[in-house]
Amino acid sequence: MQNNLIIYNTLSRTKEKFTPITPGRVGLYVCGPTVYSDVHLGNCRTFISFDLIYRYLLFLGFKVRYVRNITDAGHLEGDRDEGDDKFAKKAKLEQLEPMEIVQKYTLGFHDVMREVNALPPSIEPTATGHICEQVEMIKTIIEKGYAYEKNGTVYFDVEKYNKEFSYGQLTNRKLEELLEGTRELIGQDEKKGRLDFALWIAAKPETLMKWPSPWGWGFPGWHIECSAMSSKYLGETFDIHGGGMDLQATHHTNEIAQSQACNNKAPVNYWMHTNMLTVNGVRMSKSAGNGFLPGELFTGDHPLLEKGYSPMAVRFFMMQTHYRSTLDFSNEALQASEKGFARLIASIKLLDNLKPSATSTSNIKELEQECFNAMNDDFNSPILIANLFEGSRIINSVNDGKETITADDLAMLKKLMHDFAFDVMGLKSENSNSTSDKALQGVMEVILEIRKDVKAKKDFAASDKLRDDLNKVNITIKDTKDGATWSIQE
Ligand code: AMP
Ligand code: ZN
């Protein structure tokens, strides 16, 4: 296996050669959704970006253990352990058990991931399924002196930790700067330090989701679940940890502190963060109320949408921007992606019709290398797409009889278009395998055979009529020196 992969590491703020801990194997952890409501398109952008990354690692031949958790407990509304439990609030609102909320939105999330053709992770652990592991980890952190208990709640002591390690390393901030950005403690605060965060939270009488612990009934803080589950399934130090950029400053910073304090090891070698999907420049979020649900996008049933867009057009739209750049939603951009996607798929379908020649006018080997170069450079999907469009241009030119291709190059072109568009980018022809698609292919072969016969009998009027009639239903026939080809006008 040739590995020339370069990854941008948030921790070092540079692009680094990717060297896995165990040759040929990769441990990948991605923070999954909080399943108290539907995932919006912004969440989908992050999960689709990591699907591309997962797919490319697999394509390179790595054995990947991909862990993506489900946050189904212990998530308060505020980032700083304040506010209501989101699940309990939703459960009351919908008059359901909290676990019915979890089930409903987990199933919804899976449906959306299936629609956008995201591969399921190898393990999808839940926070509620790993309470024991979280409790054990908190006990160790207390034993090592980096956490303290107050009235049944356990806090992580950030200032103590920062004496030995760098708490703000992921965002390159000094403790003093971070302290400046947080409010002063007041008399009723239980925490010792302003930046301290909860590892375990004491249950109130009204708390619905709670578990027994050495500190009484309570529930875990949000960050500890990812430290506990990632180390359980991937080891105390693993290769890649990902999530959206919004998780860097608090969730991932706290994850590093917890794991480092517990295991005395840096937990992750490569931190990867996806940039945000925005609407008119504002980050799409549940709280901002500017989040489209994927279902609304597919049907077009939303005031900001001019029409519905297919899941593959949406996936293609996301991949036309690099995962570390912001992506602003607009109808125009989506419509352009829809056309681009259709153009790409139409050309791939033409591949089976192409006739090889003695020479090639294009360098297919070089094109293949460019596709690898793009993806090896920190998963640069927009550059990959530009190369696949070059592949489409070559296919169309050969189909039009303007360029030629040898049989070997044609086989290589076919493989690279399929590999990169379908296996790596995870696109699929939206009805390529349908019975009607196969039937159309068969019917067109019959028609072209009939047309060949009438032409051989010099009945050019009949042959032209066939061509013109097909044109009326948007099927274009082209006569080349190697015979006729057909394509659908998109
Ligand atoms: P949540 O369910 O809110 O915990 O989010 C799940 C994932 O979606 C996290 O990795 C977030 O960083 C990510 N995310 C949230 N909003 C956006 C957005 N507007 N664009 C891209 N990713 C997002
Ligand atoms: Zn997480």
Side-chain angles (χ1 to χ4, degrees):
M1 179 178 66
Q2 222 197 339
N3 171 22
N4 296 318
L5 183 59
I6 304 280
I7 293 182
Y8 179 85
N9 191 345
T10 316
L11 198 59
S12 63
R13 285 166 286 283
T14 51
K15 283 187 183 174
E16 294 174 17
K17 182 176 174 1
F18 176 62
T19 313
I21 297 166
T22 309
R25 288 182 182 267
V26 180
L28 167 66
Y29 187 93
V30 173
C31 291
T34 309
V35 287
Y36 73 101
S37 65
D38 288 306
V39 284
H40 58 64
L41 202 65
N43 305 131
C44 289
R45 180 182 188 205
T46 288
F47 299 128
I48 291 175
S49 297
F50 281 102
D51 184 56
L52 172 78
I53 289 162
Y54 176 43
R55 282 172 176 275
Y56 190 57
L57 291 168
L58 291 175
F59 182 67
L60 289 179
F62 287 110
K63 285 197 169 23
V64 187
R65 181 176 294 167
Y66 174 22
V67 183
R68 188 184 64 206
N69 69 304
I70 295 277
T71 296
D72 60 351
H75 202 161
L76 298 184
E77 278 180 316
D79 241 7
R80 296 245 153 239
D81 313 316
E82 296 142 0
D84 290 328
D85 175 342
K86 292 173 174 172
F87 290 92
K89 202 170 169 182
K90 199 63 183 277
K92 273 186 211 138
L93 205 68
E94 297 196 13
Q95 295 192 325
L96 295 171
E97 273 290 317
M99 269 305 174
E100 279 180 288
I101 296 287
V102 166
Q103 180 73 357
K104 175 176 166 185
Y105 293 111
T106 302
L107 292 178
F109 170 61
H110 288 163
D111 285 346
V112 172
M113 288 297 102
R114 207 173 306 114
E115 276 189 286
V116 296
N117 206 26
L119 296 173
S122 333
I123 306 177
E124 195 171 45
T126 62
T128 56
H130 294 77
I131 299 291
C132 294
E133 288 83 349
Q134 296 178 69
V135 166
E136 284 308 310
M137 197 162 188
I138 298 169
K139 276 162 64 183
T140 311
I141 299 173
I142 296 176
E143 271 162 35
K144 296 206 170 170
Y146 296 104
Y148 57 93
E149 186 248 349
K150 204 75 190 276
N151 302 326
T153 292
V154 180
Y155 291 101
F156 189 90
D157 189 338
V158 171
E159 282 173 55
K160 165 121 197 254
Y161 173 82
N162 196 63
K163 289 202 175 89
E164 284 158 71
F165 307 101
S166 164
Y167 176 70
Q169 57 175 320
L170 192 59
T171 48
N172 200 20
R173 310 270 302 275
K174 293 211 164 48
L175 196 74
E176 299 72 53
E177 289 172 60
L178 295 171
L179 280 165
E180 268 169 33
T182 39
R183 67 166 174 79
E184 294 282 349
L185 291 179
I186 49 171
Q188 71 235 47
D189 274 315
E190 289 174 339
K191 316 184 206 189
K192 288 201 282 198
R194 274 189 271 169
L195 290 169
D196 294 359
F197 58 92
L199 299 175
W200 185 263
I201 302 167
K204 293 186 185 138
E206 67 274 19
T207 304
L208 296 177
M209 296 174 95
K210 57 187 168 202
W211 293 265
S213 80
W215 317 285
W217 283 83
F219 56 96
W222 168 32
H223 319 297
I224 193 75
E225 67 178 84
C226 289
S227 287
M229 296 191 280
S230 62
S231 58
K232 172 165 176 151
Y233 295 112
L234 300 172
E236 290 175 356
T237 301
F238 59 93
D239 298 301
I240 306 176
H241 191 315
M245 264 175 66
D246 56 323
L247 300 182
Q248 263 178 58
T250 305
H251 183 53
H252 291 164
T253 290
N254 291 349
E255 251 190 83
I256 295 177
Q258 294 164 157
S259 299
Q260 176 82 52
C262 179
N263 303 320
N264 203 22
K265 280 182 196 144
V268 175
N269 287 344
Y270 300 85
W271 279 93
M272 295 184 72
H273 290 98
T274 53
N275 212 324
M276 296 288 107
L277 179 73
T278 57
V279 186
N280 297 322
V282 179
R283 183 192 141 198
M284 186 179 279
S285 73
K286 285 166 195 163
S287 50
N290 61 355
F292 309 120
L293 301 184
E296 291 168 338
L297 194 68
F298 303 153
T299 58
D301 187 13
H302 189 283
L304 279 173
L305 296 171
E306 286 170 11
K307 62 192 251 341
Y309 302 92
S310 74
M312 283 305 111
V314 174
R315 191 175 166 109
F316 192 73
F317 163 70
M318 302 228 173
M319 295 202 171
Q320 281 187 300
T321 299
H322 186 249
Y323 77 88
R324 282 193 292 115
S325 305
T326 50
L327 170 61
D328 199 48
F329 171 86
S330 77
N331 280 284
E332 299 74 52
L334 254 167
Q335 279 161 31
S337 298
E338 196 174 42
K339 287 205 183 95
F341 170 66
R343 202 150 37 93
L344 181 67
I345 295 297
S347 70
I348 292 177
K349 283 185 182 166
L350 276 183
L351 275 163
D352 286 332
N353 297 352
L354 298 191
K355 309 271 180 317
S357 307
T359 55
S360 283
T361 45
S362 299
N363 189 335
I364 307 298
K365 185 80 207 134
E366 202 173 280
L367 184 67
E368 186 190 43
Q369 192 52 51
E370 290 301 326
C371 292
F372 276 103
N373 291 349
M375 286 304 286
N376 281 337
D377 183 13
D378 194 29
F379 309 94
N380 200 324
S381 55
I383 305 260
L384 170 65
I385 291 175
N387 284 300
L388 293 183
F389 277 148
E390 172 59 11
S392 294
R393 191 201 59 75
I394 296 170
I395 295 168
N396 291 328
S397 281
V398 173
N399 190 52
D400 291 350
K402 291 182 193 141
E403 289 193 38
T404 57
I405 192 162
T406 63
D408 285 352
D409 279 353
L410 180 56
M412 199 190 301
L413 182 61
K414 206 185 247 184
K415 181 162 168 25
L416 94 85
M417 296 300 282
H418 278 85
D419 282 353
F420 281 95
F422 301 141
D423 295 352
V424 173
M425 296 223 304
L427 299 170
K428 58 178 184 190
S429 169
E430 294 195 294
N431 48 15
S432 66
N433 288 323
S434 70
T435 319
S436 57
D437 228 43
K438 283 185 191 142
L440 175 65
Q441 179 78 28
V443 167
M444 284 310 300
E445 277 165 25
V446 172
I447 294 179
L448 290 187
E449 231 11 75
I450 296 173
R451 194 162 166 272
K452 204 165 135 190
D453 284 350
V454 295
K455 271 178 116 177
K457 289 177 190 144
K458 304 219 176 310
D459 186 354
F460 296 113
S463 127
D464 287 351
K465 184 169 182 332
L466 269 175
R467 189 195 55 209
D468 295 343
D469 285 352
L470 285 168
N471 207 20
K472 283 182 200 146
V473 292
N474 291 340
I475 292 177
T476 310
I477 302 285
K478 287 212 174 101
D479 292 305
T480 72
K481 62 181 170 39
D482 300 309
T485 63
W486 66 278
S487 59
I488 300 175
Q489 298 152 30
E490 301 286 347

